[in-house]
Amino acid sequence: MWGGPVLDTHLHLRRDPDACFTHIRGCGVTNAVLLTRAADEDKAKEEIAKRPGHFVRSVSTDPAQPGAAEVIRNAIQGGAVSVGELKYHLALDSAEMRRIYDVCAEMQVPVMMHIQSFPHFPGELPYNTGYPQFDKVLRAYPKTTFIGHGDLFWAHISADVPTDRGYPSGPVKPGGLTDRFLSDFPNLYADMSANSGNNALSRDPDYSRGFITRHRSKLIFGSDCSCTDGKGGGVSQGNNPEASRLAGKCVARATLGLLKGLTSPEVFRQITWDNGRRLFKVES
Ligand SMILES: [Zn+2]
Ligand SMILES: [Zn+2]
């Protein structure tokens, strides 16, 4: 469907057996990283075994819980290829997160974080706070591969970031933090999944073309889609009212279509296959 293999690096493990396979089939994706909580490891292993050659899995656990680093280390030793997504109410530069960064450097797996400040529902607290000072972490952990994702990470594609919404629209002001961090730090990658990634790359196509060219070796395709069939059935963005622009659509299809329009076939393949395959050690 997309002219070659496609790796979705951000597909949450689903409750129903084989539902992830149904999704990738429906949207023309060939491979996926199943984002897996440590408690669901056995279920992920079953899904992977059932559809050989299509899936690998990550592991996530709350870094603030005692023994979190051990849980992560054991999962990687048991076959997990990455850590994430980490979506907890912690500072990016906290002792809890630093312990995870250390394990990821030691085990040579990437860590993906959901970075969000503006709430999707009343009372929702921010995740992975302190993004404006994240350069300190990137500098302190040169052997850790970080993957940024989420509303605030992508809002910072622009130098001006409004505080009254999660998904700013309109022209991008050059010099955004995320653009600069990607240029300055070889250990930072960007996961373009969900409405956050799609919105950031849709809002100013001329800017996006330059951004994608600059960071073509640092961008990885992911969907974070929750539609049922890979065609927009069910609910694709968790009923988040702010993400209604993607209601009724499959995020994987929407973002792959967007990328097709913004890139050459060579860059499309790099972003949707090569970069992720290398980071997540996917066998071709
Ligand atoms: Zn997320
Ligand atoms: Zn979908």
Side-chain angles (χ1 to χ4, degrees):
M1 190 187 291
W2 303 103
V6 170
L7 172 66
D8 182 347
T9 66
H10 196 127
L11 189 66
H12 288 277
L13 182 69
R14 299 175 179 206
R15 198 178 320 126
D16 299 334
D18 225 22
C20 287
F21 187 71
T22 302
H23 188 269
I24 66 168
R25 267 291 159 91
C27 58
V29 164
T30 54
N31 297 70
V33 180
L34 301 178
L35 301 188
T36 305
R37 291 170 211 262
D40 295 330
E41 269 198 299
D42 288 342
K43 186 168 181 335
K45 286 179 192 170
E46 279 172 33
E47 302 279 302
I48 293 167
K50 189 169 180 179
R51 302 291 183 180
H54 288 286
F55 298 122
V56 292
R57 64 188 163 92
S58 76
V59 60
S60 72
T61 195
D62 183 348
Q65 291 300 307
E70 274 313 301
V71 168
I72 299 277
R73 190 180 281 109
N74 289 340
I76 296 165
Q77 276 162 352
V81 299
S82 64
V83 174
E85 68 175 308
L86 296 183
K87 186 175 179 179
Y88 299 95
H89 307 299
L90 291 167
L92 286 162
D93 191 6
S94 59
E96 293 89 343
M97 292 296 282
R98 281 178 169 255
R99 274 196 288 274
I100 306 299
Y101 306 154
D102 277 328
V103 176
C104 291
E106 173 201 329
M107 306 296 287
Q108 297 187 12
V109 298
V111 53
M112 191 260 287
M113 290 94 59
H114 178 106
I115 298 166
Q116 177 194 337
S117 56
F118 190 77
H120 289 175
F121 54 84
E124 188 179 28
L125 296 171
Y127 303 96
N128 287 309
T129 51
Y131 185 60
Q133 294 81 44
F134 191 44
D135 53 337
K136 195 175 151 200
V137 171
L138 291 164
R139 204 170 283 117
Y141 290 86
K143 293 193 172 126
T144 303
T145 299
F146 297 92
I147 304 173
H149 145 86
D151 310 10
L152 190 69
F153 178 80
W154 280 112
H156 275 287
I157 192 172
S158 183
D160 52 355
V161 178
T163 52
D164 62 343
R165 74 200 88 153
Y167 307 114
S169 55
V172 167
K173 188 174 170 196
L177 265 189
T178 292
D179 205 341
R180 295 205 328 252
F181 287 170
L182 285 168
S183 294
D184 293 350
F185 297 98
N187 54 337
L188 177 66
Y189 289 75
D191 159 338
M192 51 180 52
S193 70
N195 183 54
S196 54
N198 185 291
N199 178 68
L201 295 168
S202 300
R203 57 185 279 194
D204 187 344
D206 284 340
Y207 192 85
S208 295
R209 283 192 187 87
F211 178 88
I212 290 171
T213 305
R214 273 196 295 292
H215 305 303
R216 53 186 287 177
S217 61
K218 313 288 285 301
L219 303 176
I220 50 176
F221 167 73
S223 75
D224 202 6
C225 190
S226 55
C227 90
T228 52
D229 52 5
K231 298 180 169 93
V235 177
S236 71
Q237 281 289 271
N239 273 337
N240 170 12
E242 266 213 290
S244 61
R245 55 187 286 280
L246 288 176
K249 292 183 182 165
C250 173
V251 185
R253 279 176 179 257
T255 298
L256 288 166
L258 172 69
L259 283 172
K260 271 274 176 206
L262 291 171
T263 59
S264 66
E266 189 201 351
V267 173
F268 182 85
R269 185 179 166 102
Q270 200 173 354
I271 293 173
T272 60
W273 181 248
D274 297 327
N275 294 343
R277 197 172 75 93
R278 195 178 66 244
L279 276 188
F280 295 92
K281 302 179 182 81
V282 171
E283 312 278 335
S284 55

